[in-house]
Amino acid sequence: MTVQPRPRVRFAPSPTGFLHVGGLRTALYNYLFARKEGGTFVLRIEDTDRSRYVEGAVENLIEALGWSGLDYDEGPGKGGECGPYIQSERLEIYRKYVGELLEKNQAYHCFCTPERLEEMRKQQEKMRIAPKYDRHCLQIPTEEAARWLADGAPSVVRMKIPESTTIAISDIIRGEVEFQSDRVDDQVLLKSDGYPTYHLANVVDDRLMGITHVIRGEEWLSSTPKHVLLYRYFGWEVPRFAHLPLLLNADRSKLSKRQGDVAVEDYRAAGYLPEALVNFVALLGWNPGDDREIFTLEELVREFSLE
Ligand code: GLU
């Protein structure tokens, strides 16, 4: 008999100022899965996009999660063995892993200016081809790149995507999904400000934090082939993925602030009880298989299944 390790899942929001109900649902499903399986629920703050930094956003998020009753086991303010749980405090870690990829020739420096990239994008649009980096800097000899770096030329690091390869994932919700590498861009991994992009930081942290199941919104499905390749480049086991269908308005547009209340704090201010909001959100994408509609958090833990 093989003993399955206890699952470790995470909610990994980017602090944008408030907790969206879609985010609450992602957090809830992670929480329910962890509690049901006797696993661990981690909170990780993905704040590497400095242009989107919002003062007080992390505190708001933690507060909204606490109000909803979704207590996490490891994360900011709680500690744990895999901290720090805030990505902006882990920059040295990401740099080390980028260095590894550069050394193995699975990533390269790109010195293209924003103007050149913009011009390239316009040309591609004119020619009606999908926007993708044209690999201009892949041709630069290593010594030359080293010289430019030493001279302080601004650069980013991109991952090298293999040509003509099929990348397959087996998603718990979506089933088998295949991607063609030729359609995948040479993703920027490290930005010129020294911060990692979401893709790199997300994969490195999921690995270092021992995440076994990645349960997140469907909007991240198209990024998954890049993530799978990164796991392979590092020689790491790929976690299981479960991509949750998007929450939509009645007209099937993406649920957004323009069309009414979407933040947990809006519902809170309107006088809804946390139990009611959690009950409501739980049923957006899951049902118990019969017509029951009212559940406490404990009942949800008992009944919940991702499949
Ligand atoms: N930081 C991403 C977000 O804001 C996390 C996506 C993921 O769970 O991989 O949703």
Side-chain angles (χ1 to χ4, degrees):
M1 202 182 85
T2 52
V3 181
Q4 291 294 328
R6 287 193 181 275
R8 287 176 60 85
V9 294
R10 80 319 189 261
F11 177 47
S14 300
T16 52
F18 63 94
L19 178 58
H20 188 284
V21 285
L24 178 65
R25 186 192 56 169
T26 303
L28 176 63
Y29 285 14
N30 275 286
Y31 171 89
L32 295 175
F33 183 77
R35 293 291 170 267
K36 168 125 194 204
E37 306 291 330
T40 303
F41 176 43
V42 176
L43 174 66
R44 180 174 75 229
I45 303 297
E46 301 206 325
D47 61 345
T48 59
D49 185 351
R50 298 323 272 169
S51 63
R52 289 174 65 199
Y53 178 77
V54 179
E55 187 74 44
V58 176
E59 292 74 15
N60 275 352
L61 219 141
I62 292 176
E63 160 76 19
L65 278 180
W67 176 79
S68 311
L70 306 185
D71 53 318
Y72 51 92
D73 306 305
E74 295 175 23
K78 275 259 164 80
E81 284 179 13
C82 306
Y85 293 89
I86 299 185
Q87 288 188 328
S88 57
E89 296 172 12
R90 301 170 62 81
L91 300 183
E92 282 313 310
I93 301 177
Y94 310 125
R95 278 193 208 124
K96 165 175 165 253
Y97 284 102
V98 167
E100 202 178 290
L101 293 180
L102 283 166
E103 213 155 276
K104 292 194 291 184
N105 227 353
Q106 288 164 326
Y108 59 97
H109 290 282
C110 170
F111 300 90
C112 288
T113 60
E115 293 73 29
R116 180 181 182 276
L117 294 174
E118 180 57 23
E119 188 51 37
M120 179 195 78
R121 204 189 53 76
K122 278 198 195 134
Q123 287 299 331
Q124 291 172 335
E125 208 168 78
K126 236 203 247 148
M127 289 158 67
R128 293 180 185 280
I129 53 176
K132 210 175 124 178
Y133 181 59
D134 60 2
R135 300 197 142 176
H136 181 73
C137 290
L138 187 57
Q139 332 300 336
I140 302 173
T142 320
E143 309 76 60
E144 195 163 330
R147 213 163 337 122
W148 290 359
L149 287 174
D151 287 347
S155 69
V156 300
V157 176
R158 291 181 182 271
M159 80 184 275
K160 212 196 256 177
I161 303 285
E163 278 163 39
S164 313
T165 306
T166 302
I167 305 146
I169 67 159
S170 165
D171 190 276
I172 295 173
I173 295 170
R174 299 285 303 251
E176 301 298 315
V177 191
E178 284 189 353
F179 300 88
Q180 298 311 321
S181 68
D182 292 336
R183 297 193 170 185
V184 182
D185 206 3
D186 276 2
Q187 176 65 50
V188 173
L189 298 176
L190 196 69
K191 294 177 274 186
S192 53
D193 63 3
Y195 277 77
T197 54
Y198 153 72
H199 306 278
L200 178 82
N202 188 268
V203 165
V204 165
D205 284 349
D206 279 348
R207 168 67 185 192
L208 297 185
M209 296 181 183
I211 300 302
T212 57
H213 296 71
V214 172
I215 306 169
R216 63 184 171 196
E218 201 169 54
E219 65 269 36
W220 302 107
L221 185 62
S222 59
S223 300
T224 310
K226 297 173 187 171
H227 301 178
V228 169
L229 286 172
L230 283 174
Y231 283 104
R232 288 193 197 150
Y233 287 178
F234 287 123
W236 296 338
E237 195 185 330
V238 182
R240 302 289 319 272
F241 291 104
H243 286 94
L244 309 170
L246 288 182
L247 296 186
L248 302 175
N249 291 303
D251 66 359
R252 303 198 61 74
S253 58
K254 199 173 161 189
L255 201 62
S256 76
K257 192 106 182 125
R258 264 165 281 129
Q259 315 215 10
D261 289 343
V262 291
V264 168
E265 61 207 38
D266 296 335
Y267 289 90
R268 182 179 181 178
Y272 286 95
L273 294 175
E275 292 83 352
L277 185 60
V278 164
N279 191 154
F280 167 69
V281 163
L283 292 169
L284 301 173
W286 170 85
N287 70 74
D290 53 43
D291 53 12
R292 282 173 300 155
E293 287 185 344
I294 301 190
F295 297 90
T296 63
L297 200 51
E298 294 70 41
E299 286 165 342
L300 286 171
V301 168
R302 259 201 315 276
E303 304 265 344
F304 185 74
S305 150
L306 267 181
E307 272 142 297

